[in-house]
Amino acid sequence: MAYQLLDGRAVAAQMNAEMADQVARLCAQGKRPPHLAAILVGHNAPSEAYVDAKVRACEKIGFLSTLIRYEDDVPQRQLLDKINELNHDSTIDGFIVQLPLPPHFSTDKVIEAIDYRKDVDGFHPVNVGRLALGLPCFRSATPAGILELLRRYRIPTQGKHCVVLGRSNIVGKPIANLMLQKDYPGDCSVTVCHSRSQNLHEICLSADILIVSLGVPNFVRHDMVKQGAVVIDVGITRLPNPDRPNGFQLTGDVLFDDVATHCSFITPVPGGVGPMTIASLMNNTLLARTKAVYP
Ligand code: GUN
């Protein structure tokens, strides 16, 4: 069956161009461009790459960015003090603390210390709660990116069965909530599965829309996918590959070549959900600058 690629790179480029236009308009009115700050603790290689991509995206769109780095052994108190400082800094519209944090941190405490009005990651309990209630909020960037991809490809969602594999706070839980809401994209019947789920193959086979966020490379194969399904692959694991210049290759949770011919639409890895996540973070930062979510 012929499938269509959900080209996250192309859609993100389109979003970035639209945001760059909005920044130009702000600046023409004599206003300051949006300003995103990112806190990075330690030297986790994927985290370094993500933060670097976020800073580069800011530069491309015309946002200001500030990167704040700490070594692995920075005391939690010092990080909380910096968060408090950023909360009160009127020149910063939004900021993120890149996760995961080293084990001596309480991630919950760190996230709760962020002013929810500057929480452009949408991780603070106020934003998570408002998302669950369908109220205006900062939406976690990966789920927001998935919705935007479905919207821009005009994929029908109303009444469909959406199966989400994975129950993380960052992706699984919020995307399940959003796909459930009476909205477009959304209005689905939603099933959330995880590592303990029974009858996983059977449930996946009944999915019209399958969103996979397990972090298990090549987990989904053709025998789990209904003919004509829409498959969204959130996985991005670095698998060693000595033939690549950087020594690794990004691998999704879906075995693409095996699954694609069963699909109507499918995201590639890389170039699917990843660029959409970054574009959505930028969009949240623009919303923070224009006070469009919390006036
Ligand atoms: N780690 C993995 N994804 C994310 C994200 O979207 N935001 C932050 N802050 N950390 C992450």
Side-chain angles (χ1 to χ4, degrees):
M1 184 178 166
Y3 63 88
Q4 198 180 336
L5 216 51
L6 294 169
D7 188 343
R9 213 170 267 148
V11 174
Q14 198 180 335
M15 288 174 71
N16 288 346
E18 290 164 10
M19 287 187 276
D21 277 352
Q22 288 194 55
V23 173
R25 254 177 276 140
L26 272 179
C27 293
Q29 294 166 13
K31 293 182 181 157
R32 172 178 63 68
H35 188 173
L36 173 71
I39 301 178
L40 176 59
V41 180
H43 299 274
N44 175 280
S47 291
E48 297 229 19
Y50 295 144
V51 168
D52 185 54
K54 291 167 187 178
V55 169
R56 276 187 288 119
C58 284
E59 284 165 5
K60 203 147 120 202
I61 305 172
F63 290 8
L64 303 169
S65 67
T66 298
L67 173 58
I68 300 152
R69 296 200 64 148
Y70 293 106
E71 289 303 319
D72 274 306
D73 59 357
V74 63
Q76 176 162 295
R77 186 69 258 158
Q78 198 176 331
L79 185 63
L80 293 175
D81 287 347
K82 176 52 78 176
I83 289 172
N84 189 41
E85 186 188 314
L86 295 175
N87 284 341
H88 292 96
D89 183 341
S90 61
T91 69
I92 304 276
D93 302 300
F95 64 97
I96 63 161
V97 178
Q98 188 66 29
L99 304 179
L101 288 167
H104 69 280
F105 284 95
S106 159
T107 301
D108 291 340
K109 241 189 196 150
V110 168
I111 290 172
E112 283 194 60
I114 300 170
D115 184 329
Y116 68 89
R117 293 164 298 187
K118 292 193 175 191
D119 167 40
V120 284
D121 255 334
F123 292 170
H124 189 281
V126 169
N127 282 312
V128 175
R130 291 180 66 90
L131 180 140
L133 292 168
L135 296 171
C137 63
F138 289 118
R139 294 171 164 188
S140 172
T142 301
I146 293 170
L147 290 196
E148 197 57 30
L149 208 47
L150 294 172
R151 189 195 326 275
R152 296 212 181 200
Y153 278 89
R154 301 175 195 277
I155 290 175
T157 59
Q158 190 176 54
K160 304 291 184 190
H161 185 204
C162 175
V163 173
V164 177
L165 294 190
R167 54 177 158 180
S168 70
N169 289 341
I170 294 181
V171 183
K173 286 178 197 166
I175 192 65
N177 238 310
L178 290 165
M179 294 304 281
L180 187 62
Q181 277 169 25
K182 207 168 183 171
D183 205 344
Y184 176 78
D187 235 351
C188 291
S189 306
V190 178
T191 305
V192 184
C193 297
H194 46 80
S195 54
R196 305 276 178 235
S197 295
Q198 293 177 3
N199 308 325
L200 199 62
H201 275 63
E202 201 180 321
I203 295 168
C204 288
L205 265 174
S206 75
D208 301 304
I209 301 169
L210 182 61
I211 301 176
V212 193
S213 180
L214 292 169
V216 181
N218 302 325
F219 180 83
V220 172
R221 312 218 166 201
H222 74 275
D223 58 347
M224 299 169 76
V225 178
K226 178 161 84 174
Q227 280 293 340
V230 176
V231 174
I232 309 282
D233 188 352
V234 184
I236 26 167
T237 307
R238 291 178 168 210
L239 289 186
N241 184 342
D243 296 335
R244 295 284 173 105
N246 44 16
F248 66 85
Q249 95 186 56
L250 294 177
T251 306
D253 289 354
V254 176
L255 188 57
F256 186 92
D257 290 340
D258 186 50
V259 167
T261 51
H262 278 53
C263 300
S264 54
F265 293 90
I266 183 168
T267 58
V269 176
V273 173
M276 291 302 296
T277 297
I278 302 206
S280 298
L281 174 68
M282 297 300 121
N283 188 50
N284 279 348
T285 306
L286 184 57
L287 294 174
R289 173 70 185 103
T290 56
K291 301 210 180 301
V293 176
Y294 297 114

